[in-house]
Amino acid sequence: MGNERRVRHLVVDEAVWCWTVRQRVKPDYADCRLTLSLFPEVTAQGVRRRLALVFAPGPDRIVSNSHFEAGTVVRLPDRAWLNLYEPGTVRRLFDAAAPALGTQPSVQNLKVNGWPYFAEVVDCPNAAKSHF
């Protein structure tokens, strides 16, 4: 199980990116969220940008809320899953989602739906697939 307060580091092309996983649990499961946030440790311009991939439950989509290991997101009916506390998963999601930072360069805190990137990572023929 991951520690939500811990900031982890990921090295990408000589740049160090920090990442955290946050889980928002609400009484109504539909309001729960699992967020993977990535931000550069140091930038040349001194500007701190953050990319947040937000995973919300929905039709055929599950986020961990006590029945699964912390940080787990699951797509049904194929039961494909990723754990957001695994560095390899974070790297693949970062590689898939990083171009979104270039599409909106003036936005300092960019929040995006994480599910399209989940599909890109899991459905990519070069990605290792996880299933229950």
Side-chain angles (χ1 to χ4, degrees):
M1 182 179 279
N3 177 347
E4 284 199 5
R5 293 178 186 90
R6 183 173 162 200
V7 175
R8 295 161 177 85
H9 297 86
L10 179 70
V11 178
V12 179
D13 299 329
E14 299 181 22
V16 178
W17 286 79
C18 301
W19 58 280
T20 62
V21 177
R22 299 279 190 254
Q23 183 170 9
R24 185 179 80 186
V25 178
K26 297 287 185 173
D28 183 6
Y29 177 68
D31 295 329
C32 294
R33 300 288 181 269
L34 199 56
T35 303
L36 170 64
S37 295
L38 298 117
F39 50 94
E41 186 175 65
V42 177
T43 62
Q45 300 84 9
V47 177
R48 299 255 332 201
R49 293 191 71 201
R50 181 175 74 108
L51 173 63
L53 282 74
V54 180
F55 294 88
D60 295 332
R61 295 181 173 134
I62 299 171
V63 298
S64 62
N65 189 21
S66 73
H67 295 291
F68 298 103
E69 182 178 11
T72 301
V73 290
V74 182
R75 179 182 65 192
L76 300 174
D78 66 349
R79 298 183 184 172
W81 64 277
L82 295 173
N83 187 306
L84 302 182
Y85 285 108
E86 295 177 2
T89 296
V90 173
R91 175 58 195 261
R92 292 183 310 189
L93 286 168
F94 175 78
D95 288 344
L101 288 168
T103 62
Q104 298 182 32
S106 62
V107 178
Q108 187 171 359
N109 292 312
L110 182 59
K111 287 186 178 182
V112 296
N113 179 358
W115 289 108
Y117 303 107
F118 174 101
E120 188 173 331
V121 166
V122 172
D123 296 338
C124 176
N126 296 330
K129 293 190 177 190
S130 300
H131 289 63
F132 285 117

